[in-house]
Amino acid sequence: MAVAEETKVRKHNLKLYPRYLMLGFDLLFYYGIRVMFLTEVKGITSPQILLSSTIYAFSMIIMQVPATLLTSKLGYKNTAITGNILNIIWALILITFKSFAGLALSQVISGTAFALKYVSESNLLSSSIPQAPTYQRNEIFSRLDKKGFSRYCIFSAISTIISGFLYNINPYIPIFLSLICIIASTAISFNFNDIREDESKQSFKDYMKDLKKGYKFITKSKRLRALLVMTGAVWGIIGLLDSYQLTLLQDIGATSVQIGIIFAMFELTRGLFSNTAIDFNKKFKNKSLTNILLTFAIGFILAGIVAFSHIPFYTKLITIVVILLVMGGANAIDQILAKKYVNNFTSSKILPAIYSAKSICDNLLRTVITLLGALVLGIYNIDIATVAMGIFILILTLGLTVYSKDKLGLKPEEYTQKDIYKR
């Protein structure tokens, strides 16, 4: 590819990425009505919904390495396209399935789809950024990533409100709208171009060699291990929050209309706070992840205390909503910073292995934390369970802070040779 043509392709990809992420980051129109749709329309029980979420997480874990290897044959663009096509199949199964087996199959397909998307989309953006010093590439990546994520959150907030009203007309309408958005993101993904096919496609033997070298580096790098564990813990807590917040709001007596508006506010807050991620990182630096974890710990504890306190309903509701929105802001900041930190390792040779390892770590910790949350919820009411999990998150935060103290946020000269990737 000629230099002028490559420059044009890079600019095209960078311009297209935020638009793609707005539609393709996650499933629009679905999450706001998911529980109602599965229980009321499909006859799925709450324990089965929780089990299906575990199936999804395990599917992502199992498929992460095969997904990473597949990029050696397909390239980043075609891997992303494949992931989006699998999401189309997911939506079709969701519309037609009649038993838990169908739901389980849809979760396996969705887990595989997002494993493919996870390992390809960020790499596609990273490889499209022109060669420059690491901090400049990182700033460009974060700016475009937060631009797309912010748009997605705003669209998600709007779709959450709309889906609630449309569900009352016909519960299948939000699912069809979700399918339309997936088809649109698939169409957009066809317009990307791989930069230098020798970087995104290579012989299976060479790719395996680079992948093994990448995984070996990850196991030896204390810095990277600490980063993956901390960002994975946040991801697990976000999954727990998704499960707990609906139950908590229902328990205090919030109506379905109020819950829909609150979820829309949550998404909108994520979109707004994603724009503050870089400033947050500049202010707190190596304390950023610790402060995000502390926000969740304090948020869970306060939300639980307010839930079982004897105060007027609207005072209780408004207080809990404010707490949830603050945690939503922390969620958004982590979404941006986690990718920013990973992209400090800018070599195209190691990024696929890092993204693969990050996805595995994220979903393992998500499985552990959400299952623990389910066990606690099986013993206590949601208000007590929320406080208990908040205390657990606080203890986890203190432990991870001590563990990462001499591994993250050091000056460049303080890192050992094992923390520096060599081609």
Side-chain angles (χ1 to χ4, degrees), residues 17 136 149 235 299 313 400:
Y17 188 82
Q136 290 182 358
F149 180 71
W235 183 244
F313 168 73
L400 289 178

Side-chain angles (χ1 to χ4, degrees), residues 298-370:
I298 296 170
F300 267 76
I301 293 171
L302 290 179
I305 291 173
V306 172
F308 66 65
S309 64
H310 300 289
I311 57 177
F313 168 73
Y314 282 105
T315 302
K316 181 181 295 187
L317 178 63
I318 292 171
T319 305
I320 290 177
V321 168
V322 170
I323 294 169
L324 291 177
L325 294 183
V326 170
M327 289 195 284
N331 177 344
I333 292 172
D334 173 74
Q335 292 278 353
I336 303 302
L337 293 186
K339 289 183 181 180
K340 174 181 171 62
Y341 294 152
V342 166
N343 276 276
N344 283 329
F345 304 88
T346 54
S347 170
S348 61
K349 299 291 185 181
I350 191 177
L351 271 181
I354 293 179
Y355 273 110
S356 173
K358 185 180 185 308
S359 180
I360 291 171
C361 190
D362 284 352
N363 285 286
L364 277 173
L365 286 168
R366 183 166 189 156
T367 300
V368 171
I369 292 173
T370 53

